[in-house]
Amino acid sequence: MKSHVKAVVIGGGVVGCSVLYHLAKAGWTDIMLIERSELTSGSSWHAAGGFHTLNGDPNVAKLQAYTVQLYKEIEEISGQSCSLHLTGGVMMADTPERMDFLRLAHAKGRYLGMDTELITPSEAKAMFPLMDEKNFVGAMWDPVEGHLDPSGTTIAYSKAAKKLGAEIVLRNRVVDLTQQPDGTWNVVTEQGTVHAEHVVNCGGLWAREIGRMVGVELPVLAMEHMYLLTEPMPEVEEFNKSTGREMIGVLDFKGEIYTRQERNGILLGTYEKACKPWSPVNTPWDFGHELLPPDLDRIAPSLEIGFKHFPGIEKAGIKQIINGPFTFALDGNPLVGPVQGLTNFWCACAVMAGFSQGGGVGLALSNWMVHGDPGFDVWGMDVARFGEWAGLRYTNAKVRENYSRRFSIRFPNEELPAARPAQTTPLYDTMLANNAVMGDSWGLETPLWFAPKGKEPRDIVSFHRSNDFGPIGEEVRATRERVGVTEIANFAKYEVSGPGAEEFLNRLMTNRMPKTGRIVLTPMINEFGKLIGDFTIAKAGEDRFMIWGSSAAQKYHMRWFEKHLPKDGSVRIHRFDQTLVGLSIAGPKSRDLLQKLVDTDISTKAFRFMDFREMAVGGAPCMVNRITYTGDLGYEIWMAPAYQRLVYKAIRDAGEEFGLVDFGMRALLSMRLEKNFPTWFRELRPIYGPFEGSMDRFIKLEKNDFIGREAAAKEQAEGPKLRRVSFIVDAADADVMGDEPIWAKVSKDFGTVEKPHGYGAPRFDDKGEEVRGSKAAEGASAVRGIVDGDWRVVGWVTSGGYAHYVQKSMAQGYVPAALAEDESAGLFEIEILGHRRPARINVEAPFDPSGEKMRT
Ligand SMILES: Cc1cc2nc3c(=O)[nH]c(=O)nc-3n(C[C@H](O)[C@H](O)[C@H](O)COP(=O)(O)OP(=O)(O)OC[C@H]3O[C@@H](n4cnc5c(N)ncnc54)[C@H](O)[C@@H]3O)c2cc1C
C-alpha cells in the first residue's frame, strides 16, 4: 500500500468503483480505493440490478442516461461482462391522476432526448402477458430500461480503473480521518496511514459513520428492502420462445412494486408503506455479505395488489426472498460534492439507484475534483442542498416518508408532512391562528396562503387549479389595490464585512456594488460564464454589505464564498440563517402604513426606490430595503427574531385603516409572474448564461475582472443561443407547473435545442465520446427534433402559474434566441397535461411595465 496518494476513495461498492474509474479516466492515476472487506460488501452485491433513465429531476435523468450508455465502455476496457439486458420497461397508471403524471413525464422527455411513448394497457400486456390489463388506464413505455449483474458491473468498473493505473486495497477498514494544517488528509486504516490530498466518502451503508469521522452528520439512512424471486415459470419460457424476446420491466404505481424477468422466472420488489429503517443510529462495522430476515407480513399489502394486477405471478412458487439494506437521502437523490466548511472532503453517497446513477455520479464528482466544477447541473444531487436542520431524527422521518412514497405522485401543490414543523419563526402560532396553510421552505415553516375564516386550512392536491385559487386571488388583489404583509424569513441572508469586502464582492458579482445606503440586484456566475446565484445586495456601511438570496442555496453559496475568501482575513462572511427574520409590506398604501411606524421621513425623495436604511420600525431596530418581489411599491423589513412579533403587531394595528391583508408565498410568486421576474433554481440555473437568462442589465462587463467575465463577454459577443422569455398561455383549468415542452410553428429554420446540461468541464456526448474545448462549453447541442407537421418542440417551461391581478395564465421558459427576438417568427403552444395550449411571448411585464408604481 502506498503511503501518499492524490486521492483516497473510501468504499468498494458500485459508486466507489465508478468514482475511481472516472478519476483515473480524467488523468488522476495516483489514486487508491480502500475497501473494508471485499468489493461489493455493502448494498451493491444483493441489488436487483434494475436500471432506468427516468427521474423527477431532468438533470439527474440525464446523468442516468449517461450511466446506461457507459456500460459498454467499461465492459470493453475491463473485459468483464456486466450481463446487460436492455429490455425496455413500462410504468402502469391505474387512475387518471397517475396517467396525468405519466403525460407530464412523457412531455418532459421531448426536450431531454428521451424516447418514451404513451401506450394502452393492452399494448403493455403484449410485452408482459402476466398482467391483468383491466386494472390499468394507460402506460408509458421507456426503451432505455433493463437489468444487469450488480457484482459483475462493480468489478467491471474496478478492473477498468486498475487498467488506467488506480490502486485498490481490500480488507482494510478506514478507522479515522484527520486533516492536516495544509488541508490534506491522514487516512488512518487498519494497515497504516495514507496521506492524501483528497478524500472521497463512498461508504454506502457506512457513509454516515465516515461523515462522523470529520464531524459531519450526513442526512442519509439505510432502509430494509425486499424483493422475491419465483421458481421458473412455463409462461415466461413460452413467451421467450414464441417472441424471441425477454419480458420487459414493469413498474406498478398502485402496488408500489416493480417486476421483471429473472432467468426463467420473475423478480418482484416492493416499496412497502410499512417500511423499516435499518441501523437507524449506528451501522455495525461487522455487517458483511449477509441478508436480513425476510418479513412477508410487511410486504403482504403490496403483494396482494401485485398478485391482483399480475395474476400470472401469483401462481408461481416463491424460490427466495431477498431482504437487504440500502441508503437514501431525504429526497431519494444522491449526496454528491464537496462538503461545505471542509477542505478536499468529497461525498458520493446515498446513491439509492447505484446501477442507474453510479456512472453519472462518478463523472460529475471526478469533473468537480479534477476541474473544479461538476460540468453539469447537479443541484438535484448536491450534498449542499440540505441544511443543519436535517439531523439524525429529521432524516429518519423524511427518509421513511420518501421510501413509502417512492412511486406515489407528488402533486405540484403538495406539501409533505414528515418531520414538520422543524424550524419556526416567532410568528408561527400567529400565522396558524390567521388560518395559514403552511409549507416547508428549506426546513422553515412558511405561510403559503390563507384559507377563509371557517374553512379548514389545507390544500386539496391536484394538477389542476385547486382550492387555493380563490383565496390567493383575494390576497393578490388586496395587496395590489391596498396593502399586504407577508413573512420573508425564508430568504437567505448574509453579511460580508471587512476592509476587503467591496473588492471581494466585486470579484464575485457581475454588477457594480452599490453606494452606502443603496441596493443593487446582481447575478453571480462561475468561470464558465454560467449563472450560479442571484442576489440583492445593500451597502450597509463603509466596509459592510448585507446580502439576500435563495434560501435553499445557502450552503451552496457559502461553499462558493468560502472558496474565494481572501486568505489574509480582510473579509468576514456571516450567514444569519434564522437569527435574522423578516416581513415585507407591499401595495400602494404600504408607504402610508410604514410612515406611521417610523420616526424618519420616508417620502419618495427621502427614501427612494432601492434605498437601504437602518431604522426603528414600531420601536424595533430594523433594516429596511425599499424593494419588494411583488414589483410594486413596497418594503422588506429585517429584524432579530425577538422583535418580529412586535413589528408584525405594529404593522397589523397601523394597517387596519388601509385594509391590510396577510398574503403568502404563493401570492408573492403570482405577483412576480406578472412582473416577468425570474426565480433562482427555476429560471436561473447553472446551465444558462446570464444573457440567456435575460439578465443583461445586471452584467457590467466593463466594471472589473470579475469571475466569469471573459465567458460572459464571449456570450454577449457571439449572442446567446437561448433566451428566457415570458408567455401568456391560453390555459383552461390547469396552469403550467414547470418542465412542460414549448412547441412552435416556425416560418424559418431556427434549429431545435436540447435542454443544456453539460458545460465547461469535460463531458461526454451521446456516444460516450469525451467532448472537450469550445464544443463542450457550448452546452446546448442541437439534438433530435420533435416534430409534428409544421410544429416542433423548441424549448421548455421553467415555471409559471396564474397571474391573478392581470388575470392571465403565465409561463416563463427558454426558447432559441432567434425565436425570442422575432415575435412574428412563430406561433407557440405549451403542452399542459397532454394538451397543447396556444401561448404568446410577452415581452413587457403585464403589470406596471414601466416600473412607475415601484418607483413612486
Ligand atoms: C434489495 C436491494 C435491491 C436493490 N435493487 C436495486 C436495483 O434494482 N437497481 C439499482 O440501481 N439499485 C438497487 N439497489 C440499491 C443499490 O444496491 C445501491 O444503490 C448501491 O449498492 C449503492 O452502492 P454504494 O457503492 O454507494 O454503497 P455500498 O454498496 O454499500 O458500498 C459501500 C462500500 O464501502 C465500504 N466501506 C464502508 N466504510 C468503509 C470504511 N470505513 N473503510 C473501508 N471501506 C468501507 C463497504 O464495505 C462497502 O463495500 C438495491 C438495494 C437492495 C438492498
Side-chain angles (χ1 to χ4, degrees):
M1 187 170 80
K2 284 188 196 162
S3 60
H4 177 96
V5 286
K6 190 156 184 78
V8 163
V9 176
I10 308 174
V14 65
V15 175
C17 291
S18 168
V19 169
L20 193 75
Y21 169 68
H22 282 94
L23 281 174
K25 187 172 170 180
W28 280 20
T29 49
D30 180 21
I31 52 176
M32 179 189 289
L33 183 148
I34 304 180
E35 164 56 46
R36 183 184 65 99
S37 175
E38 305 296 332
L39 295 180
T40 77
S41 288
S43 52
S44 295
W45 72 276
H46 48 53
F51 61 80
H52 54 91
T53 51
L54 286 168
N55 188 289
D57 182 324
N59 300 298
V60 178
K62 291 288 279 183
L63 283 173
Q64 294 188 182
Y66 163 77
T67 303
V68 179
Q69 285 160 19
L70 185 68
Y71 291 129
K72 238 192 256 146
E73 171 181 318
I74 58 166
E75 279 184 337
E76 269 165 31
I77 298 179
S78 66
Q80 163 79 44
S81 165
C82 300
S83 299
L84 216 59
H85 296 241
L86 193 64
T87 57
V90 286
M91 292 179 151
M92 303 301 302
D94 65 309
T95 62
E97 288 75 26
R98 287 198 168 98
M99 203 53 221
D100 277 347
F101 174 81
L102 291 184
R103 281 192 191 99
L104 283 169
H106 172 62
K108 252 188 241 180
R110 291 191 198 281
Y111 57 78
L112 289 172
M114 288 180 182
D115 237 345
T116 56
E117 198 183 329
L118 297 176
I119 60 173
T120 64
S122 309
E123 287 172 307
K125 186 184 169 81
M127 296 184 276
F128 195 85
L130 304 173
M131 74 170 67
D132 178 357
E133 76 281 15
K134 288 196 284 302
N135 292 295
F136 303 105
V137 299
M140 186 171 80
W141 160 250
D142 177 11
V144 194
E145 276 191 38
H147 58 100
L148 44 64
D149 166 22
S151 295
T153 302
T154 309
I155 306 290
Y157 275 123
S158 72
K159 282 188 177 169
K162 276 211 271 195
K163 280 211 166 150
L164 294 171
E167 184 183 355
I168 296 182
V169 179
L170 300 177
R171 295 172 290 283
N172 185 25
R173 181 157 73 88
V174 171
V175 292
D176 202 7
L177 293 166
T178 53
Q179 190 145 39
Q180 304 307 294
D182 65 354
T184 60
W185 292 93
N186 278 344
V187 182
V188 185
T189 78
E190 288 169 337
Q191 295 174 20
T193 297
V194 184
H195 179 246
E197 285 172 42
H198 299 263
V199 168
V200 192
N201 177 1
C202 297
L205 295 174
W206 296 266
R208 194 179 43 182
E209 279 67 23
I210 294 171
R212 286 175 191 158
M213 291 178 193
V214 298
V216 174
E217 188 65 45
L218 291 165
V220 50
L221 177 70
M223 300 294 290
E224 292 193 12
H225 182 70
M226 275 179 270
Y227 64 84
L228 58 85
L229 297 165
T230 70
E231 300 287 358
M233 294 170 61
E235 299 91 326
V236 174
E237 286 169 14
E238 171 52 32
F239 176 84
N240 297 158
K241 220 192 276 163
S242 61
T243 62
R245 287 202 316 264
E246 194 176 346
M247 281 192 184
I248 59 169
V250 181
L251 198 152
D252 175 7
F253 290 117
K254 175 80 190 297
E256 312 261 347
I257 54 185
Y258 57 89
T259 180
R260 64 163 171 86
Q261 182 173 342
E262 171 70 22
R263 298 178 191 275
N264 297 331
I266 288 291
L267 177 154
L268 185 147
T270 69
Y271 280 86
E272 67 281 4
K273 293 276 175 224
C275 56
K276 192 172 165 201
W278 178 72
S279 296
V281 181
N282 296 301
T283 312
W285 286 110
D286 59 357
F287 184 78
H289 269 251
E290 61 220 64
L291 291 170
L292 306 171
D295 182 354
L296 263 180
D297 286 349
R298 220 172 62 230
I299 60 171
S302 305
L303 289 184
E304 200 177 309
I305 300 172
F307 291 152
K308 183 172 166 266
H309 289 184
F310 305 96
I313 303 178
E314 189 177 15
K315 289 179 266 158
I318 295 176
K319 188 171 69 178
Q320 194 186 1
I321 298 178
I322 307 280
N323 184 11
F326 68 123
T327 54
F328 293 78
L330 312 182
D331 56 4
N333 274 332
L335 297 173
V336 179
V339 174
Q340 188 243 320
L342 294 173
T343 307
N344 293 349
F345 184 81
W346 305 83
C347 270
C349 52
V351 183
M352 62 79 54
F355 299 94
S356 297
Q357 301 178 327
V361 166
L363 173 63
L365 191 79
S366 63
N367 274 343
W368 218 332
M369 292 174 70
V370 175
H371 304 285
D373 188 280
F376 301 95
D377 184 346
V378 293
W379 170 250
M381 52 188 202
D382 193 326
V383 63
R385 73 190 184 281
F386 302 115
E388 296 77 4
W389 36 269
L392 198 60
R393 287 176 183 225
Y394 187 99
T395 299
N396 190 303
K398 220 60 195 168
V399 168
R400 279 188 288 129
E401 178 184 67
N402 184 270
Y403 183 100
S404 67
R405 298 179 41 91
R406 171 100 175 93
F407 295 143
S408 304
I409 295 169
R410 170 111 189 238
F411 290 93
N413 63 339
E414 185 168 12
E415 292 286 326
L416 301 179
R420 292 176 53 202
Q423 297 176 83
T424 53
T425 68
L427 284 179
Y428 178 64
D429 294 331
T430 310
M431 291 297 148
L432 289 185
N434 292 355
N435 229 14
V437 177
M438 305 298 280
D440 170 276
S441 173
W442 213 60
L444 177 73
E445 293 298 313
T446 303
L448 299 176
W449 60 283
F450 293 84
K453 278 206 177 68
K455 288 256 161 71
E456 189 191 353
R458 100 185 154 84
D459 276 311
I460 297 174
V461 295
S462 172
F463 287 118
H464 299 256
R465 290 177 190 158
S466 188
N467 61 326
D468 60 349
F469 190 82
I472 293 173
E474 295 295 322
E475 291 169 28
V476 167
R477 280 184 290 279
T479 302
R480 287 282 191 234
E481 284 160 15
R482 305 192 304 269
V483 55
V485 58
T486 192
E487 268 212 274
I488 48 172
N490 60 329
F491 291 15
K493 320 109 200 168
Y494 315 87
E495 184 186 68
V496 174
S497 59
E502 184 147 359
E503 194 185 333
F504 169 71
L505 289 174
N506 258 321
R507 172 109 184 97
L508 258 53
M509 305 293 167
T510 62
N511 204 346
R512 286 196 185 86
M513 286 305 103
K515 295 196 170 69
T516 304
R518 295 287 290 159
I519 294 169
V520 292
L521 304 179
T522 177
M524 181 163 81
I525 59 177
N526 62 17
E527 53 271 47
F528 305 109
K530 300 295 173 189
L531 287 161
I532 54 165
D534 187 36
F535 300 99
T536 300
I537 300 187
K539 186 164 182 180
E542 189 43 39
D543 292 328
R544 191 176 143 240
F545 293 82
M546 288 298 302
I547 304 184
W548 291 270
S550 159
S551 165
Q554 297 189 35
K555 288 198 143 194
Y556 173 86
H557 285 144
M558 278 303 281
R559 196 169 60 193
W560 186 260
F561 294 154
E562 284 169 358
K563 183 174 168 184
H564 294 94
L565 221 47
K567 301 274 176 279
D568 60 6
S570 62
V571 182
R572 290 178 301 280
I573 179 146
H574 173 67
R575 172 163 77 96
F576 288 92
D577 209 353
Q578 295 314 322
T579 60
L580 187 68
V581 294
L583 291 162
S584 175
I585 54 172
K589 294 289 178 200
S590 56
R591 176 165 31 231
D592 297 343
L593 193 164
L594 187 64
Q595 187 65 78
K596 287 176 70 181
L597 303 178
V598 299
D599 302 315
T600 50
D601 179 8
I602 56 161
S603 60
T604 308
K605 280 199 183 135
F607 194 41
R608 296 161 300 165
F609 176 59
M610 303 285 272
D611 268 356
F612 164 92
R613 195 76 53 80
E614 289 179 87
M615 58 176 97
V617 178
C622 292
M623 291 181 269
V624 183
N625 293 338
R626 222 210 97 174
I627 187 172
T628 150
Y629 196 41
T630 65
D632 212 326
L633 173 67
Y635 306 84
E636 289 174 353
I637 307 166
W638 300 96
M639 72 288 298
Y643 291 111
Q644 197 194 22
R645 288 158 71 108
L646 175 72
V647 177
Y648 178 73
K649 181 166 187 316
I651 291 172
R652 293 263 8 161
D653 291 347
E656 206 168 322
E657 68 172 281
F658 304 108
L660 174 81
V661 295
D662 282 307
F663 67 95
M665 272 301 131
R666 290 191 187 156
L668 184 65
L669 290 173
S670 168
M671 288 187 268
R672 71 95 194 179
L673 273 180
E674 52 202 23
K675 286 292 291 184
N676 288 359
F677 288 166
T679 52
W680 178 248
F681 282 141
R682 276 302 191 171
E683 284 70 44
L684 310 179
R685 290 188 72 117
I687 42 178
Y688 306 117
F691 296 99
E692 289 181 329
S694 303
M695 303 297 279
D696 310 30
R697 66 201 166 98
F698 306 116
I699 317 298
K700 303 287 191 275
L701 291 172
E702 66 291 348
K703 76 172 175 104
N704 68 324
D705 187 21
F706 58 87
I707 294 171
R709 196 186 78 89
E710 212 179 301
K714 187 163 175 277
E715 188 197 343
Q716 191 193 41
E718 291 175 358
K721 291 189 172 50
L722 303 167
R723 271 292 195 181
R724 172 175 66 88
V725 285
S726 174
F727 288 95
I728 290 177
V729 191
D730 186 5
D733 67 335
D735 304 297
V736 300
M737 289 153 242
D739 297 328
E740 292 84 355
I742 301 170
W743 291 80
K745 187 175 178 187
V746 290
S747 50
K748 289 184 236 161
D749 184 6
F750 290 108
T752 305
V753 289
E754 187 179 272
K755 190 171 182 182
H757 179 56
Y759 60 89
R763 65 188 186 90
F764 296 86
D765 69 14
D766 294 344
K767 292 183 203 77
E769 297 289 315
E770 191 170 332
V771 182
R772 280 194 177 271
S774 61
K775 201 172 161 219
E778 268 175 22
S781 56
V783 190
R784 36 202 289 292
I786 305 290
V787 179
D788 174 12
D790 292 344
W791 292 82
R792 68 165 86 159
V793 174
V794 294
W796 50 92
V797 168
T798 45
S799 75
Y802 194 73
H804 284 269
Y805 195 63
V806 297
Q807 296 182 20
K808 290 183 184 352
S809 184
M810 295 191 69
Q812 290 192 31
Y814 282 83
V815 296
L819 270 182
E821 279 145 26
D822 180 359
E823 268 189 72
S824 63
L827 294 172
F828 293 95
E829 288 179 347
I830 294 180
E831 187 172 336
I832 303 178
L833 297 174
H835 299 285
R836 279 158 50 182
R837 301 278 173 196
R840 66 181 163 80
I841 289 189
N842 179 62
V843 177
E844 286 214 319
F847 177 77
D848 190 24
S850 65
E852 197 188 315
K853 290 179 196 289
M854 200 158 67
R855 289 188 175 81
T856 47

